Amino acid sequence: MALSITYTNNQDPKNKTSLLSEPPIYQNPELQQMINDGKIQPLIWFDKRKLTDADMEIVAYYLLQDNKTLTQLCLSNNKIGDKGAQYLSEALKKDTVRKKPFTLHLSYVTQTLTTLDLSYNQIGNKGVQHLGEALKKNTTLTILQLQNNQIGAQGSQYLVEALQTNTTLTELYLSRNEIGPQWQQHLQELTENRNLTLDLSGNPRYFENYCVTS
């Protein structure tokens, strides 16, 4: 069942001027109740719930900022786009989130990140830029899953920049995105002198069924 959002004070989320500096001006009672019920659990699964960017502000503010026990959060197969990725990335930069291992299984995201699964959402180049900023200090990533999103050449470059310091990456899944010929340059940067398997199948025709192992 889709989660509904009730806006308060006759305001819309896009009118906010800063991220996570104060409680969200809108509410999603069902989502907030699920957060309250699961806040002490190490594993929380919010996959396949039609969650949107606005919902990610609630998740980032009420769940991630004050996280003390959560190690794995599943947000795959939702409707999360660039703004939602930005909310999550902002929360992941907070010291209270990074004090202990945290896994975001949309996705897995923190300093002990090993697998990042952001598949089947609506994240584009800008969202990847925000996530890249959150990942730049991580040096333990081994598997990154971003299939079935809306990532193009610019997003690929953001990933390259974010992962340049991560020498443990061994698998990168980017199938069924919008990655064009410029990816070849990014691919060379990622695979140079390292053991890395990339899946680019299902992208524009130039890279159809293109999988490279170095």
Side-chain angles (χ1 to χ4, degrees), residues 19 81-90 92-93 98 109 118 123-136 155 158-159 162:
L19 292 176
D82 293 345
K83 192 65 175 181
Q86 185 177 10
Y87 284 130
L88 296 171
S89 299
E90 189 69 19
L92 293 170
K93 295 175 183 177
R98 288 182 171 171
V109 181
L118 282 162
I123 297 171
N125 296 331
K126 193 66 176 178
V128 170
Q129 181 181 20
H130 294 306
L131 289 167
E133 290 301 317
L135 290 170
K136 280 183 177 179
Y158 291 137
L159 287 174

Side-chain angles (χ1 to χ4, degrees), residues 29-76:
E30 185 176 353
L31 176 58
Q32 288 175 244
Q33 185 61 52
M34 289 192 298
I35 289 174
N36 289 335
D37 292 343
K39 206 163 187 178
I40 63 173
Q41 302 299 322
L43 308 178
I44 296 179
W45 298 83
F46 289 162
D47 59 321
K48 298 180 180 179
R49 293 183 180 275
K50 299 182 180 180
L51 298 177
T52 65
D53 288 347
D55 293 314
M56 291 306 98
E57 185 178 16
I58 292 177
V59 171
Y61 188 88
Y62 290 111
L63 180 60
L64 302 186
Q65 283 200 129
D66 298 321
N67 170 46
K68 295 180 176 63
T69 60
L70 184 66
T71 59
Q72 183 171 341
L73 173 62
C74 178
L75 293 168
S76 62

